[in-house]
Amino acid sequence: MNHGGEVVRAQDAAHAEGHDYVKGSPHLRHRKLREDIERRLTALVRDSIARTGACRVLEIGAGHGTFTDVLVAAGARVTVTEASEASAEHLRATYAGDDRVSVFHDETGEFVLDQEETWDLAVMISVIHHIPDYVAFLDRLQGLIAPGGAMFSVQDPLFYPRRSRAAHVASRGSYFAWRLGQGNYARGVATRIRRLRGVYDERAESDLVEYHVVRQGVDEEAIRTLLMEQFDVEVFTYWSTQGPVWQRLLEKTSLRSDFGIQATNHRP
């Protein structure tokens, strides 16, 4: 079943006006993770500009524009799509009068795939794990990348069966330790009971938004296999969790919980 429309509606509800993206987002909250993403994005934009004289970026799911700022500062022109109407409005207000940034509210989750435009770089940060059929989505998206262009995705959970047991236990344990301090316990308990029973509730916002928990993370090797036919592909893995203490303690170990993909030199 295609849950795309339901997921978009859940994203819209979960990220309403006033939503704090930083609180539950390790890549925004922790400086080392954020700086690594900023470094990679800046290099990709500058490589495109050096190669073609410009960089047209498609940023899918920009939140409140943390990395949009990085892309623009590096010299890109950015088209932003957002499943959250409130976030799209926030971005429009932020970049009002700046012709380097165009913002679109994506009501279907596939707005971008229906466009005839091509881009030099597609950016997805903490996005892929929200897409039910992410392999099919990426397959269509790569057709919108210009020759020589790139795709960049980061902050998605490694496929659970491929994680080490220690990494999986540490990831779940550190998440629950952080979650205990966030309130809304009734919803948290109900969600956890469904997880333990292996139940997926299409009516529950938490199940739709965190769809990856039901299907055991994101299969990074399936994405690599898809993209390597047309790109040079790097899959990089790292430790990531919400709580600052657990992040500092475990990022220096060999544990890996999340991954990113940098696909360059598109050969359509």
Side-chain angles (χ1 to χ4, degrees), residues 215-229:
R215 63 180 176 203
Q216 302 191 81
V218 175
D219 190 339
E220 72 280 5
E221 289 303 321
I223 297 175
R224 185 208 298 266
T225 299
L226 169 71
L227 297 181
M228 67 187 299
E229 295 185 8

Side-chain angles (χ1 to χ4, degrees), residues 147-159:
M151 296 173 65
F152 179 78
S153 175
V154 71
Q155 198 59 32
D156 291 298
L158 284 163
F159 192 46

Side-chain angles (χ1 to χ4, degrees), residues 36 66 94 103 185 195 199 256:
D36 184 61
T66 299
T94 299
V103 180
Y185 299 118
R195 299 283 188 269
V199 173
R256 297 293 182 265

Side-chain angles (χ1 to χ4, degrees), residues 69-264:
D69 287 343
V70 174
L71 294 165
V72 171
R77 300 182 70 88
V78 187
T79 297
V80 174
T81 67
E82 245 303 329
S84 163
E85 185 172 9
S87 295
E89 286 301 319
H90 176 93
L91 290 165
R92 289 191 185 105
T94 299
Y95 296 104
D98 189 340
D99 63 4
R100 297 171 297 178
V101 180
S102 302
V103 180
F104 297 90
H105 176 215
D106 186 354
E107 298 183 42
T108 67
E110 296 192 347
F111 165 85
V112 63
L113 301 180
D114 297 328
Q115 308 306 302
E116 296 181 358
E117 190 173 354
T118 59
W119 287 272
D120 301 304
L121 171 63
V123 173
M124 294 154 286
I125 299 177
S126 192
V127 167
I128 288 179
H129 61 269
H130 296 302
I131 302 173
D133 192 348
Y134 52 85
V135 174
F137 181 89
L138 293 172
D139 190 21
R140 294 178 65 189
L141 180 62
Q142 67 181 341
L144 303 180
I145 305 303
M151 296 173 65
F152 179 78
S153 175
V154 71
Q155 198 59 32
D156 291 298
L158 284 163
F159 192 46
Y160 294 176
R162 204 171 284 125
R163 281 181 178 177
S164 70
R165 179 172 176 77
H168 191 67
V169 169
S171 180
R172 292 288 84 197
S174 59
Y175 169 77
F176 289 131
W178 170 82
R179 179 68 181 80
L180 285 172
Q182 305 308 306
N184 201 356
Y185 299 118
R187 169 177 162 174
V189 170
T191 300
R192 183 57 184 161
I193 290 172
R194 289 197 302 276
R195 299 283 188 269
L196 292 172
R197 293 172 58 202
V199 173
Y200 171 76
D201 187 349
E202 295 182 17
R203 301 164 298 175
E205 179 185 299
S206 58
D207 283 9
L208 285 166
V209 172
E210 301 302 329
Y211 193 68
H212 61 93
V213 178
V214 181
R215 63 180 176 203
Q216 302 191 81
V218 175
D219 190 339
E220 72 280 5
E221 289 303 321
I223 297 175
R224 185 208 298 266
T225 299
L226 169 71
L227 297 181
M228 67 187 299
E229 295 185 8
Q230 297 187 29
F231 294 87
D232 299 330
V233 180
E234 174 195 0
V235 176
F236 55 97
T237 60
Y238 55 95
W239 170 260
S240 168
T241 192
Q242 286 85 350
V245 173
W246 292 105
Q247 181 65 30
R248 288 194 298 270
L249 285 174
L250 297 176
E251 69 183 6
K252 298 176 183 178
T253 71
S254 62
L255 298 178
R256 297 293 182 265
S257 59
D258 295 80
F259 75 96
I261 287 186
Q262 186 165 308
T264 57

